[in-house]
Amino acid sequence: MILKLENKITQNRKDKIKNMLSSEGCIIREILDEGRNIIGIIGNCNKSVEELRQLKGVADVMPIKSSYKLASREFKSEDTKVKIGNVVVGGDRLVIIAGPCAVESHDQAMTIARQVKKYGAVLFRGGAYKPRSSPYSFQGLEEEGLKILADVRKATGLGVVTEITSPSQADLMMKYVDVVQIGARNMQNFELLKCVGKMKKPVVLKRGLASTIQEWLMSAEYIMAGGNNDVILCERGIRTFEPYTRNTLDLSAIPVLKKLTHLPIVIDPSHATGIREKVSPMARAAVAAGADALMIEVHNNPDQALSDGPQSLYPEQFGQLARDIYVIAPVVGKQLDFDYLRKSETINNLDEKSSKKAAFIGEYGAYSHKASLGYFGDEIKPVPVQSFKDIFNTVQSGTTQYGVIPLENSLSGSIHENYDLLQEYDLKIIGEITIRIKHALIALKNTDKSAIKKILAPPPAFSQCKNYLDQYPDIKIVPVTATSSAVRHVKESGDINAAAIGSTMAAKIFNMKILEESIEDNPRNYTRFAIIAKEFKDIEQAGKTSLVFSTGNKPGALFEVMKIFSEHQINLVKLESRPMPGKPWEYMFYADIEADLQKESLVPVMKELKEKTEILKIIGRY
Ligand code: PEP
Ligand code: MN
């Protein structure tokens, strides 16, 4: 049962309700969900819905229809984010968990951990207690394996995940690892579920070989009822009649679960397919279907692996897969962050709590807001400001540590103002993020699409949705400064004849209705954002350098600079010219190159560049 409390309820009143329910023997959980003030009653309750509804301070009572309560979306509508050290499973950033099926030796685990970390994994997984079909197969190194995992964490900074096969291992798990896994064969081992329910460790709960989604969620409920809410559901293939793969990966479980539960989902394509060459295609599909994380078996010498060698990827294959995922993830609104762990560490080391902020233009729900969450996760608070100049000023003054500025859109081109501001201010680009721009038509909850008489949006959004809008020639178009302000205007006006073009995130934040999704003409609509700060990021090796330079006004001057890049085989990925302030017809060039100009071996390149340019400034290294 869910008790929705009145908005203005006093703490005293709330305590009275809670005490009364507890004395009636009800198990209660309080949740603050999307601003709703809720008490959930799980288990048995002697009071009827009517009796509960009569209680002073209670606005409404809703029964939870599903048999699982704590795990259900009805109980908690916001997605659960499970925190493992600095890693968050369930947010905008995809999490990759990788490692061998079993920890075989110190060397083996350490080698694989270093490799998977290099390629983008943020958690390391290896079994120390192996549930094997045959009692004669390798059973795992047991405590010795756990110790190796703890060493891996210490040496690499990767959080470690391992399977618990018996409640008797709980103390050792608490001592050595960050996440415990319940294997497929133990999904309905209720004593084990109760045991991890009491442990203060996140749990990866694998789906049983022949379990329904309902049974799986009931198992999650066991863990949550015990007091542990950090449950990650892992689909690892179910047993079907199909012999070509070890199991059948049920990817449709992802959208089903997303509707039924708030818990994050990890997909394990390794055990699902059992065959190396099938792992990457299914991993890519899982991301496209909305998985929050992937768990992949990787081995440096799979032919000699003591378990699951045939399904383990070679490290290089895993690296290629990660690169594909990096490209696929933004299509579905997620990000794979190759700099995840270092970034979190830097942020943790920021001394002032107040500076853990990033300025963005517009309001909450703006695409820039989404870019900030995609880049930093929740670790940095996005702060809305009014103009691009405000972003530069707040970063310059130290009011916010970072700024998020859009630089170019794949359809409408560069945002020139920001290139000019990069010239004007002495700030540095420390990162970049590209997000997909997917526009929705958004209106008040009680608006019917046929009632729309006007649509609010900024001019670029109108031009990106031109074909869609051409269908409705009678609807008036009202330009505003940003998509997020368009959504706010419609909300505040209370006008049921108005709609806004904006992100689905804005619709959610302002509690509005999405009349239509993906109304942009071209689905390949991406915006690239730069992250700015006062200082360069402290990294050994950068993949990209951004520079601004000017050349003399003489024939072939720009060509001379380009020639340097060409001769040194340096890939130029962006070149933009901007007028120099106060010098008509003279230009500054802004370039991004795929090289680290600070590198020792590129000192000659820098020297040549200095000779051929008048002004030369490195403004980004990331
Ligand atoms: C494993 O993760 O190595 C394993 C044994 O998986 P499952 O429980 O999914 O078979
Ligand atoms: Mn395995």
Side-chain angles (χ1 to χ4, degrees), residues 388-389 392 405-407 414-426 548 576-581 587-590 617 619:
F388 291 134
K389 210 173 168 62
F392 281 78
I405 53 165
L407 283 183
S414 293
I415 291 102
H416 293 133
E417 189 182 341
N418 281 329
Y419 283 102
D420 294 344
L421 288 164
L422 282 168
Q423 259 188 65
E424 189 184 326
Y425 284 74
D426 192 26
V548 277
E576 181 82 31
S577 68
R578 296 296 305 146
M580 277 168 85
Y587 295 89
M588 282 295 257
F589 295 96
Y590 174 99
K617 200 165 84 163
I619 60 162

PDB file of all heavy atoms in Angstrom, residues 388-389 392 405-407 414-426 548 576-581 587-590 617 619:
ATOM      1  N   PHE A 388      25.958  32.636 -22.247  1.00  0.00           N
ATOM      2  CA  PHE A 388      27.248  31.942 -22.393  1.00  0.00           C
ATOM      3  C   PHE A 388      28.331  32.718 -21.645  1.00  0.00           C
ATOM      4  O   PHE A 388      29.206  32.147 -21.028  1.00  0.00           O
ATOM      5  CB  PHE A 388      27.615  31.807 -23.877  1.00  0.00           C
ATOM      6  CG  PHE A 388      26.715  30.843 -24.617  1.00  0.00           C
ATOM      7  CD1 PHE A 388      26.173  31.172 -25.847  1.00  0.00           C
ATOM      8  CD2 PHE A 388      26.417  29.602 -24.078  1.00  0.00           C
ATOM      9  CE1 PHE A 388      25.354  30.279 -26.527  1.00  0.00           C
ATOM     10  CE2 PHE A 388      25.598  28.699 -24.744  1.00  0.00           C
ATOM     11  CZ  PHE A 388      25.057  29.046 -25.975  1.00  0.00           C
ATOM     12  N   LYS A 389      28.245  34.038 -21.721  1.00  0.00           N
ATOM     13  CA  LYS A 389      29.236  34.862 -21.025  1.00  0.00           C
ATOM     14  C   LYS A 389      29.198  34.602 -19.513  1.00  0.00           C
ATOM     15  O   LYS A 389      30.241  34.541 -18.863  1.00  0.00           O
ATOM     16  CB  LYS A 389      28.969  36.347 -21.316  1.00  0.00           C
ATOM     17  CG  LYS A 389      30.239  37.183 -21.290  1.00  0.00           C
ATOM     18  CD  LYS A 389      29.985  38.601 -21.754  1.00  0.00           C
ATOM     19  CE  LYS A 389      31.165  39.499 -21.443  1.00  0.00           C
ATOM     20  NZ  LYS A 389      32.411  39.152 -22.091  1.00  0.00           N
ATOM     21  N   PHE A 392      31.302  31.615 -18.679  1.00  0.00           N
ATOM     22  CA  PHE A 392      32.732  31.924 -18.628  1.00  0.00           C
ATOM     23  C   PHE A 392      33.064  32.726 -17.359  1.00  0.00           C
ATOM     24  O   PHE A 392      34.085  32.484 -16.714  1.00  0.00           O
ATOM     25  CB  PHE A 392      33.156  32.695 -19.890  1.00  0.00           C
ATOM     26  CG  PHE A 392      33.332  31.787 -21.080  1.00  0.00           C
ATOM     27  CD1 PHE A 392      32.235  31.308 -21.789  1.00  0.00           C
ATOM     28  CD2 PHE A 392      34.602  31.384 -21.482  1.00  0.00           C
ATOM     29  CE1 PHE A 392      32.386  30.455 -22.878  1.00  0.00           C
ATOM     30  CE2 PHE A 392      34.782  30.533 -22.565  1.00  0.00           C
ATOM     31  CZ  PHE A 392      33.662  30.062 -23.263  1.00  0.00           C
ATOM     32  N   ILE A 405      29.680  24.174 -22.318  1.00  0.00           N
ATOM     33  CA  ILE A 405      29.297  25.067 -23.424  1.00  0.00           C
ATOM     34  C   ILE A 405      29.086  24.284 -24.723  1.00  0.00           C
ATOM     35  O   ILE A 405      29.934  23.482 -25.108  1.00  0.00           O
ATOM     36  CB  ILE A 405      30.360  26.181 -23.659  1.00  0.00           C
ATOM     37  CG1 ILE A 405      31.759  25.569 -23.826  1.00  0.00           C
ATOM     38  CG2 ILE A 405      30.353  27.197 -22.525  1.00  0.00           C
ATOM     39  CD1 ILE A 405      32.773  26.531 -24.405  1.00  0.00           C
ATOM     40  N   PRO A 406      27.975  24.528 -25.411  1.00  0.00           N
ATOM     41  CA  PRO A 406      27.804  23.863 -26.700  1.00  0.00           C
ATOM     42  C   PRO A 406      28.735  24.492 -27.730  1.00  0.00           C
ATOM     43  O   PRO A 406      28.878  25.713 -27.780  1.00  0.00           O
ATOM     44  CB  PRO A 406      26.344  24.137 -27.059  1.00  0.00           C
ATOM     45  CG  PRO A 406      25.980  25.371 -26.309  1.00  0.00           C
ATOM     46  CD  PRO A 406      26.833  25.393 -25.073  1.00  0.00           C
ATOM     47  N   LEU A 407      29.396  23.668 -28.539  1.00  0.00           N
ATOM     48  CA  LEU A 407      30.294  24.221 -29.556  1.00  0.00           C
ATOM     49  C   LEU A 407      29.737  24.060 -30.961  1.00  0.00           C
ATOM     50  O   LEU A 407      29.889  24.932 -31.798  1.00  0.00           O
ATOM     51  CB  LEU A 407      31.670  23.546 -29.483  1.00  0.00           C
ATOM     52  CG  LEU A 407      32.576  23.998 -28.357  1.00  0.00           C
ATOM     53  CD1 LEU A 407      33.926  23.293 -28.460  1.00  0.00           C
ATOM     54  CD2 LEU A 407      32.801  25.511 -28.389  1.00  0.00           C
ATOM     55  N   SER A 414      28.311  25.556 -36.073  1.00  0.00           N
ATOM     56  CA  SER A 414      29.016  26.043 -34.888  1.00  0.00           C
ATOM     57  C   SER A 414      28.223  27.079 -34.109  1.00  0.00           C
ATOM     58  O   SER A 414      27.434  27.825 -34.673  1.00  0.00           O
ATOM     59  CB  SER A 414      30.337  26.677 -35.307  1.00  0.00           C
ATOM     60  OG  SER A 414      31.173  25.684 -35.821  1.00  0.00           O
ATOM     61  N   ILE A 415      28.484  27.114 -32.806  1.00  0.00           N
ATOM     62  CA  ILE A 415      27.920  28.168 -31.959  1.00  0.00           C
ATOM     63  C   ILE A 415      29.051  29.179 -31.793  1.00  0.00           C
ATOM     64  O   ILE A 415      29.924  29.057 -30.934  1.00  0.00           O
ATOM     65  CB  ILE A 415      27.425  27.592 -30.612  1.00  0.00           C
ATOM     66  CG1 ILE A 415      26.188  26.708 -30.867  1.00  0.00           C
ATOM     67  CG2 ILE A 415      26.973  28.691 -29.655  1.00  0.00           C
ATOM     68  CD1 ILE A 415      26.360  25.283 -30.879  1.00  0.00           C
ATOM     69  N   HIS A 416      29.039  30.180 -32.697  1.00  0.00           N
ATOM     70  CA  HIS A 416      30.186  31.078 -32.834  1.00  0.00           C
ATOM     71  C   HIS A 416      30.501  31.848 -31.570  1.00  0.00           C
ATOM     72  O   HIS A 416      31.656  32.092 -31.250  1.00  0.00           O
ATOM     73  CB  HIS A 416      29.950  32.048 -33.991  1.00  0.00           C
ATOM     74  CG  HIS A 416      29.936  31.343 -35.311  1.00  0.00           C
ATOM     75  ND1 HIS A 416      28.983  31.554 -36.262  1.00  0.00           N
ATOM     76  CD2 HIS A 416      30.759  30.393 -35.798  1.00  0.00           C
ATOM     77  CE1 HIS A 416      29.219  30.774 -37.299  1.00  0.00           C
ATOM     78  NE2 HIS A 416      30.293  30.060 -37.038  1.00  0.00           N
ATOM     79  N   GLU A 417      29.460  32.196 -30.845  1.00  0.00           N
ATOM     80  CA  GLU A 417      29.690  33.001 -29.647  1.00  0.00           C
ATOM     81  C   GLU A 417      30.667  32.304 -28.703  1.00  0.00           C
ATOM     82  O   GLU A 417      31.529  32.939 -28.095  1.00  0.00           O
ATOM     83  CB  GLU A 417      28.348  33.246 -28.948  1.00  0.00           C
ATOM     84  CG  GLU A 417      28.464  34.251 -27.826  1.00  0.00           C
ATOM     85  CD  GLU A 417      27.129  34.462 -27.093  1.00  0.00           C
ATOM     86  OE1 GLU A 417      26.067  34.115 -27.658  1.00  0.00           O
ATOM     87  OE2 GLU A 417      27.189  34.971 -25.959  1.00  0.00           O
ATOM     88  N   ASN A 418      30.546  30.999 -28.601  1.00  0.00           N
ATOM     89  CA  ASN A 418      31.424  30.293 -27.665  1.00  0.00           C
ATOM     90  C   ASN A 418      32.866  30.219 -28.169  1.00  0.00           C
ATOM     91  O   ASN A 418      33.803  30.242 -27.370  1.00  0.00           O
ATOM     92  CB  ASN A 418      30.869  28.906 -27.357  1.00  0.00           C
ATOM     93  CG  ASN A 418      29.748  28.999 -26.342  1.00  0.00           C
ATOM     94  OD1 ASN A 418      29.749  29.896 -25.487  1.00  0.00           O
ATOM     95  ND2 ASN A 418      28.773  28.119 -26.440  1.00  0.00           N
ATOM     96  N   TYR A 419      33.050  30.134 -29.483  1.00  0.00           N
ATOM     97  CA  TYR A 419      34.421  30.179 -30.014  1.00  0.00           C
ATOM     98  C   TYR A 419      35.053  31.541 -29.701  1.00  0.00           C
ATOM     99  O   TYR A 419      36.221  31.639 -29.348  1.00  0.00           O
ATOM    100  CB  TYR A 419      34.416  29.911 -31.520  1.00  0.00           C
ATOM    101  CG  TYR A 419      34.245  28.441 -31.820  1.00  0.00           C
ATOM    102  CD1 TYR A 419      33.031  27.932 -32.220  1.00  0.00           C
ATOM    103  CD2 TYR A 419      35.316  27.558 -31.638  1.00  0.00           C
ATOM    104  CE1 TYR A 419      32.870  26.575 -32.466  1.00  0.00           C
ATOM    105  CE2 TYR A 419      35.162  26.200 -31.879  1.00  0.00           C
ATOM    106  CZ  TYR A 419      33.938  25.714 -32.287  1.00  0.00           C
ATOM    107  OH  TYR A 419      33.792  24.373 -32.505  1.00  0.00           O
ATOM    108  N   ASP A 420      34.232  32.601 -29.829  1.00  0.00           N
ATOM    109  CA  ASP A 420      34.753  33.934 -29.527  1.00  0.00           C
ATOM    110  C   ASP A 420      35.095  34.070 -28.048  1.00  0.00           C
ATOM    111  O   ASP A 420      36.115  34.647 -27.676  1.00  0.00           O
ATOM    112  CB  ASP A 420      33.739  35.004 -29.956  1.00  0.00           C
ATOM    113  CG  ASP A 420      33.568  35.018 -31.474  1.00  0.00           C
ATOM    114  OD1 ASP A 420      34.433  34.437 -32.158  1.00  0.00           O
ATOM    115  OD2 ASP A 420      32.586  35.595 -31.964  1.00  0.00           O
ATOM    116  N   LEU A 421      34.257  33.496 -27.199  1.00  0.00           N
ATOM    117  CA  LEU A 421      34.518  33.585 -25.758  1.00  0.00           C
ATOM    118  C   LEU A 421      35.759  32.771 -25.375  1.00  0.00           C
ATOM    119  O   LEU A 421      36.515  33.148 -24.488  1.00  0.00           O
ATOM    120  CB  LEU A 421      33.293  33.111 -24.968  1.00  0.00           C
ATOM    121  CG  LEU A 421      32.101  34.088 -25.009  1.00  0.00           C
ATOM    122  CD1 LEU A 421      30.812  33.402 -24.555  1.00  0.00           C
ATOM    123  CD2 LEU A 421      32.369  35.322 -24.149  1.00  0.00           C
ATOM    124  N   LEU A 422      35.983  31.666 -26.092  1.00  0.00           N
ATOM    125  CA  LEU A 422      37.191  30.873 -25.816  1.00  0.00           C
ATOM    126  C   LEU A 422      38.451  31.681 -26.127  1.00  0.00           C
ATOM    127  O   LEU A 422      39.483  31.532 -25.487  1.00  0.00           O
ATOM    128  CB  LEU A 422      37.187  29.582 -26.643  1.00  0.00           C
ATOM    129  CG  LEU A 422      36.289  28.454 -26.133  1.00  0.00           C
ATOM    130  CD1 LEU A 422      36.147  27.350 -27.171  1.00  0.00           C
ATOM    131  CD2 LEU A 422      36.824  27.878 -24.814  1.00  0.00           C
ATOM    132  N   GLN A 423      38.332  32.541 -27.135  1.00  0.00           N
ATOM    133  CA  GLN A 423      39.456  33.426 -27.478  1.00  0.00           C
ATOM    134  C   GLN A 423      39.651  34.494 -26.418  1.00  0.00           C
ATOM    135  O   GLN A 423      40.755  34.834 -26.044  1.00  0.00           O
ATOM    136  CB  GLN A 423      39.089  34.179 -28.764  1.00  0.00           C
ATOM    137  CG  GLN A 423      39.702  33.655 -30.019  1.00  0.00           C
ATOM    138  CD  GLN A 423      39.382  34.627 -31.151  1.00  0.00           C
ATOM    139  OE1 GLN A 423      39.818  35.769 -31.141  1.00  0.00           O
ATOM    140  NE2 GLN A 423      38.603  34.163 -32.119  1.00  0.00           N
ATOM    141  N   GLU A 424      38.512  35.025 -25.967  1.00  0.00           N
ATOM    142  CA  GLU A 424      38.546  36.180 -25.074  1.00  0.00           C
ATOM    143  C   GLU A 424      39.017  35.811 -23.663  1.00  0.00           C
ATOM    144  O   GLU A 424      39.761  36.557 -23.028  1.00  0.00           O
ATOM    145  CB  GLU A 424      37.129  36.749 -25.029  1.00  0.00           C
ATOM    146  CG  GLU A 424      36.990  38.071 -24.325  1.00  0.00           C
ATOM    147  CD  GLU A 424      35.505  38.480 -24.264  1.00  0.00           C
ATOM    148  OE1 GLU A 424      34.738  38.169 -25.209  1.00  0.00           O
ATOM    149  OE2 GLU A 424      35.134  39.090 -23.251  1.00  0.00           O
ATOM    150  N   TYR A 425      38.576  34.676 -23.166  1.00  0.00           N
ATOM    151  CA  TYR A 425      38.885  34.298 -21.776  1.00  0.00           C
ATOM    152  C   TYR A 425      40.069  33.350 -21.750  1.00  0.00           C
ATOM    153  O   TYR A 425      40.310  32.621 -22.704  1.00  0.00           O
ATOM    154  CB  TYR A 425      37.695  33.594 -21.138  1.00  0.00           C
ATOM    155  CG  TYR A 425      36.571  34.522 -20.740  1.00  0.00           C
ATOM    156  CD1 TYR A 425      35.732  35.079 -21.704  1.00  0.00           C
ATOM    157  CD2 TYR A 425      36.346  34.835 -19.406  1.00  0.00           C
ATOM    158  CE1 TYR A 425      34.697  35.925 -21.338  1.00  0.00           C
ATOM    159  CE2 TYR A 425      35.309  35.676 -19.033  1.00  0.00           C
ATOM    160  CZ  TYR A 425      34.485  36.211 -20.002  1.00  0.00           C
ATOM    161  OH  TYR A 425      33.464  37.039 -19.644  1.00  0.00           O
ATOM    162  N   ASP A 426      40.755  33.335 -20.624  1.00  0.00           N
ATOM    163  CA  ASP A 426      41.887  32.432 -20.506  1.00  0.00           C
ATOM    164  C   ASP A 426      41.459  31.141 -19.792  1.00  0.00           C
ATOM    165  O   ASP A 426      41.995  30.793 -18.756  1.00  0.00           O
ATOM    166  CB  ASP A 426      43.019  33.142 -19.752  1.00  0.00           C
ATOM    167  CG  ASP A 426      44.310  32.357 -19.860  1.00  0.00           C
ATOM    168  OD1 ASP A 426      44.455  31.606 -20.849  1.00  0.00           O
ATOM    169  OD2 ASP A 426      45.146  32.472 -18.951  1.00  0.00           O
ATOM    170  N   VAL A 548      44.066  27.785 -30.618  1.00  0.00           N
ATOM    171  CA  VAL A 548      43.692  28.932 -31.437  1.00  0.00           C
ATOM    172  C   VAL A 548      44.978  29.554 -31.960  1.00  0.00           C
ATOM    173  O   VAL A 548      45.987  29.599 -31.262  1.00  0.00           O
ATOM    174  CB  VAL A 548      42.888  30.021 -30.678  1.00  0.00           C
ATOM    175  CG1 VAL A 548      41.427  29.702 -30.603  1.00  0.00           C
ATOM    176  CG2 VAL A 548      43.420  30.281 -29.325  1.00  0.00           C
ATOM    177  N   GLU A 576      37.949  26.143 -37.591  1.00  0.00           N
ATOM    178  CA  GLU A 576      36.910  27.170 -37.591  1.00  0.00           C
ATOM    179  C   GLU A 576      37.624  28.515 -37.658  1.00  0.00           C
ATOM    180  O   GLU A 576      38.619  28.716 -36.969  1.00  0.00           O
ATOM    181  CB  GLU A 576      36.156  27.034 -36.244  1.00  0.00           C
ATOM    182  CG  GLU A 576      35.029  27.974 -36.019  1.00  0.00           C
ATOM    183  CD  GLU A 576      33.739  27.505 -36.690  1.00  0.00           C
ATOM    184  OE1 GLU A 576      33.533  26.282 -36.813  1.00  0.00           O
ATOM    185  OE2 GLU A 576      32.966  28.385 -37.100  1.00  0.00           O
ATOM    186  N   SER A 577      37.154  29.422 -38.525  1.00  0.00           N
ATOM    187  CA  SER A 577      37.789  30.749 -38.504  1.00  0.00           C
ATOM    188  C   SER A 577      36.828  31.752 -37.903  1.00  0.00           C
ATOM    189  O   SER A 577      35.624  31.688 -38.134  1.00  0.00           O
ATOM    190  CB  SER A 577      38.185  31.157 -39.919  1.00  0.00           C
ATOM    191  OG  SER A 577      37.047  31.384 -40.693  1.00  0.00           O
ATOM    192  N   ARG A 578      37.376  32.646 -37.097  1.00  0.00           N
ATOM    193  CA  ARG A 578      36.554  33.669 -36.448  1.00  0.00           C
ATOM    194  C   ARG A 578      37.234  35.014 -36.618  1.00  0.00           C
ATOM    195  O   ARG A 578      38.468  35.121 -36.522  1.00  0.00           O
ATOM    196  CB  ARG A 578      36.412  33.383 -34.936  1.00  0.00           C
ATOM    197  CG  ARG A 578      35.677  32.115 -34.606  1.00  0.00           C
ATOM    198  CD  ARG A 578      34.222  32.152 -35.051  1.00  0.00           C
ATOM    199  NE  ARG A 578      33.479  33.282 -34.532  1.00  0.00           N
ATOM    200  CZ  ARG A 578      32.498  33.903 -35.205  1.00  0.00           C
ATOM    201  NH1 ARG A 578      32.160  33.503 -36.409  1.00  0.00           N
ATOM    202  NH2 ARG A 578      31.872  34.921 -34.671  1.00  0.00           N
ATOM    203  N   PRO A 579      36.458  36.084 -36.874  1.00  0.00           N
ATOM    204  CA  PRO A 579      37.064  37.411 -37.036  1.00  0.00           C
ATOM    205  C   PRO A 579      37.785  37.840 -35.753  1.00  0.00           C
ATOM    206  O   PRO A 579      37.341  37.497 -34.660  1.00  0.00           O
ATOM    207  CB  PRO A 579      35.858  38.324 -37.293  1.00  0.00           C
ATOM    208  CG  PRO A 579      34.678  37.455 -37.468  1.00  0.00           C
ATOM    209  CD  PRO A 579      35.003  36.090 -36.975  1.00  0.00           C
ATOM    210  N   MET A 580      38.896  38.570 -35.926  1.00  0.00           N
ATOM    211  CA  MET A 580      39.612  39.042 -34.732  1.00  0.00           C
ATOM    212  C   MET A 580      38.972  40.335 -34.261  1.00  0.00           C
ATOM    213  O   MET A 580      38.780  41.246 -35.065  1.00  0.00           O
ATOM    214  CB  MET A 580      41.089  39.278 -35.049  1.00  0.00           C
ATOM    215  CG  MET A 580      41.884  38.005 -34.971  1.00  0.00           C
ATOM    216  SD  MET A 580      43.501  38.189 -35.663  1.00  0.00           S
ATOM    217  CE  MET A 580      44.397  38.850 -34.308  1.00  0.00           C
ATOM    218  N   PRO A 581      38.655  40.408 -32.972  1.00  0.00           N
ATOM    219  CA  PRO A 581      37.978  41.601 -32.470  1.00  0.00           C
ATOM    220  C   PRO A 581      38.814  42.845 -32.775  1.00  0.00           C
ATOM    221  O   PRO A 581      40.020  42.877 -32.508  1.00  0.00           O
ATOM    222  CB  PRO A 581      37.888  41.367 -30.961  1.00  0.00           C
ATOM    223  CG  PRO A 581      38.204  39.925 -30.757  1.00  0.00           C
ATOM    224  CD  PRO A 581      38.986  39.453 -31.927  1.00  0.00           C
ATOM    225  N   TYR A 587      41.682  37.112 -39.144  1.00  0.00           N
ATOM    226  CA  TYR A 587      40.988  35.966 -38.548  1.00  0.00           C
ATOM    227  C   TYR A 587      41.844  35.197 -37.555  1.00  0.00           C
ATOM    228  O   TYR A 587      43.061  35.120 -37.686  1.00  0.00           O
ATOM    229  CB  TYR A 587      40.522  35.007 -39.653  1.00  0.00           C
ATOM    230  CG  TYR A 587      39.501  35.647 -40.539  1.00  0.00           C
ATOM    231  CD1 TYR A 587      39.887  36.368 -41.666  1.00  0.00           C
ATOM    232  CD2 TYR A 587      38.150  35.583 -40.208  1.00  0.00           C
ATOM    233  CE1 TYR A 587      38.950  37.006 -42.466  1.00  0.00           C
ATOM    234  CE2 TYR A 587      37.200  36.214 -40.991  1.00  0.00           C
ATOM    235  CZ  TYR A 587      37.600  36.922 -42.125  1.00  0.00           C
ATOM    236  OH  TYR A 587      36.663  37.552 -42.882  1.00  0.00           O
ATOM    237  N   MET A 588      41.143  34.647 -36.568  1.00  0.00           N
ATOM    238  CA  MET A 588      41.748  33.679 -35.658  1.00  0.00           C
ATOM    239  C   MET A 588      41.227  32.319 -36.100  1.00  0.00           C
ATOM    240  O   MET A 588      40.068  32.201 -36.490  1.00  0.00           O
ATOM    241  CB  MET A 588      41.249  33.899 -34.227  1.00  0.00           C
ATOM    242  CG  MET A 588      41.860  35.015 -33.480  1.00  0.00           C
ATOM    243  SD  MET A 588      43.592  34.733 -33.182  1.00  0.00           S
ATOM    244  CE  MET A 588      43.547  34.268 -31.492  1.00  0.00           C
ATOM    245  N   PHE A 589      42.063  31.340 -36.008  1.00  0.00           N
ATOM    246  CA  PHE A 589      41.619  29.984 -36.342  1.00  0.00           C
ATOM    247  C   PHE A 589      41.546  29.155 -35.072  1.00  0.00           C
ATOM    248  O   PHE A 589      42.397  29.282 -34.188  1.00  0.00           O
ATOM    249  CB  PHE A 589      42.573  29.335 -37.341  1.00  0.00           C
ATOM    250  CG  PHE A 589      42.573  30.052 -38.655  1.00  0.00           C
ATOM    251  CD1 PHE A 589      43.546  31.010 -38.938  1.00  0.00           C
ATOM    252  CD2 PHE A 589      41.587  29.802 -39.598  1.00  0.00           C
ATOM    253  CE1 PHE A 589      43.534  31.697 -40.137  1.00  0.00           C
ATOM    254  CE2 PHE A 589      41.576  30.481 -40.805  1.00  0.00           C
ATOM    255  CZ  PHE A 589      42.542  31.439 -41.075  1.00  0.00           C
ATOM    256  N   TYR A 590      40.527  28.341 -35.052  1.00  0.00           N
ATOM    257  CA  TYR A 590      40.330  27.445 -33.925  1.00  0.00           C
ATOM    258  C   TYR A 590      40.454  26.027 -34.478  1.00  0.00           C
ATOM    259  O   TYR A 590      39.767  25.665 -35.430  1.00  0.00           O
ATOM    260  CB  TYR A 590      38.940  27.687 -33.331  1.00  0.00           C
ATOM    261  CG  TYR A 590      38.593  26.724 -32.251  1.00  0.00           C
ATOM    262  CD1 TYR A 590      38.734  27.062 -30.918  1.00  0.00           C
ATOM    263  CD2 TYR A 590      38.162  25.445 -32.576  1.00  0.00           C
ATOM    264  CE1 TYR A 590      38.451  26.152 -29.930  1.00  0.00           C
ATOM    265  CE2 TYR A 590      37.884  24.527 -31.594  1.00  0.00           C
ATOM    266  CZ  TYR A 590      38.030  24.880 -30.275  1.00  0.00           C
ATOM    267  OH  TYR A 590      37.761  23.967 -29.304  1.00  0.00           O
ATOM    268  N   LYS A 617      47.925  29.609 -29.137  1.00  0.00           N
ATOM    269  CA  LYS A 617      47.541  29.333 -27.755  1.00  0.00           C
ATOM    270  C   LYS A 617      46.887  27.951 -27.689  1.00  0.00           C
ATOM    271  O   LYS A 617      45.973  27.664 -28.459  1.00  0.00           O
ATOM    272  CB  LYS A 617      46.537  30.411 -27.332  1.00  0.00           C
ATOM    273  CG  LYS A 617      46.368  30.586 -25.842  1.00  0.00           C
ATOM    274  CD  LYS A 617      45.652  31.894 -25.499  1.00  0.00           C
ATOM    275  CE  LYS A 617      44.155  31.765 -25.581  1.00  0.00           C
ATOM    276  NZ  LYS A 617      43.334  32.750 -24.957  1.00  0.00           N
ATOM    277  N   ILE A 619      44.374  25.805 -25.980  1.00  0.00           N
ATOM    278  CA  ILE A 619      43.280  26.083 -25.044  1.00  0.00           C
ATOM    279  C   ILE A 619      42.593  24.808 -24.548  1.00  0.00           C
ATOM    280  O   ILE A 619      41.738  24.877 -23.685  1.00  0.00           O
ATOM    281  CB  ILE A 619      42.220  27.027 -25.657  1.00  0.00           C
ATOM    282  CG1 ILE A 619      41.624  26.396 -26.917  1.00  0.00           C
ATOM    283  CG2 ILE A 619      42.788  28.392 -25.944  1.00  0.00           C
ATOM    284  CD1 ILE A 619      40.318  27.041 -27.293  1.00  0.00           C
TER     285      ILE A 619
END
